[in-house]
Amino acid sequence: MQIPNQLYKQILENMPICCVDILVQKKGRILLIRRKNEPEKGKWWVPGGRILKGEGLSEAVRRKVKEETGLEIENERFLGVYEYKSDKACFKDIMNGTHSIVIVYLVEALENQDVKLDETSSDYKWIDMIEEDLDDYIKKILKDSKIFD
């Protein structure tokens, strides 16, 4: 169940939100998407977002990957719980930024699928190494995943 924007703004102003971020793997490479929205507008990121009330973690992982990339996935593996903070938020009138408790998963994209981005991303790429210009949070989850070791 998605909550109304006005209530969501109040929640963002006053407490952390619980989210999933997903490292989508295919043939040893990880999918990154370029964000169109704050926080982190214009940066390379991984698919993810808030967990809806009543939604299980696995459901949230599958929903977010499907919504943002159009991909079907398998072999979900829990990687860890992280904390993410930004002085920006998805709404311009949020004064206290964003504070998220993020549950990170590694998944595999099923073969023979094309990425179909939704309106929240402007581009995508598959990487096979941790690139220097990535955000520190993204570097950390990629390093912790050991996908490139």
Side-chain angles (χ1 to χ4, degrees):
M1 176 174 93
Q2 190 139 3
I3 60 176
N5 279 345
Q6 191 57 39
L7 178 56
Y8 188 51
K9 285 181 188 181
Q10 291 175 330
I11 292 168
L12 284 176
E13 280 284 13
N14 295 289
M15 61 188 300
I17 58 169
C18 191
C19 299
V20 290
D21 275 346
I22 306 105
L23 297 174
V24 179
Q25 172 183 249
K26 187 175 182 179
K27 297 181 181 175
R29 299 182 306 160
I30 295 291
L31 177 65
L32 296 180
I33 55 178
R34 188 180 297 276
R35 293 181 58 95
K36 285 170 90 174
N37 303 322
E38 294 292 1
E40 311 309 343
K41 181 178 181 178
K43 288 189 178 182
W44 290 107
W45 216 257
V46 295
R50 64 182 149 149
I51 301 164
L52 303 177
K53 183 172 174 105
E55 184 176 49
L57 292 174
S58 181
E59 292 172 292
V61 166
R62 291 176 182 279
R63 176 180 59 82
K64 290 309 300 178
V65 172
K66 184 69 172 172
E67 284 176 359
E68 294 187 15
T69 70
L71 297 174
E72 298 287 343
I73 58 169
E74 63 184 358
N75 300 328
E76 298 165 37
R77 189 179 86 188
F78 169 75
L79 290 180
V81 177
Y82 296 79
E83 185 174 38
Y84 166 79
K85 295 178 185 176
S86 174
D87 60 349
K88 298 177 182 169
C90 55
F91 300 106
K92 292 181 188 212
D93 52 350
I94 300 289
M95 306 310 273
N96 297 324
T98 302
H99 180 186
S100 301
I101 307 303
V102 187
I103 304 163
V104 178
Y105 282 83
L106 175 65
V107 302
E108 290 182 44
L110 298 178
E111 294 295 321
N112 302 319
Q113 299 180 89
D114 293 325
V115 174
K116 296 178 181 94
L117 297 176
D118 70 1
E119 70 283 349
T120 65
S121 301
S122 63
D123 199 3
Y124 74 92
K125 65 181 177 178
W126 294 94
I127 61 169
D128 59 8
M129 60 183 268
I130 299 174
E131 298 175 351
E132 261 322 290
D133 62 340
L134 295 176
D135 185 90
D136 287 342
Y137 167 76
I138 299 299
K139 287 180 187 177
K140 172 130 182 73
I141 64 174
L142 285 168
K143 183 179 178 198
D144 290 354
S145 77
K146 301 181 187 222
I147 189 71
F148 300 134
D149 289 353

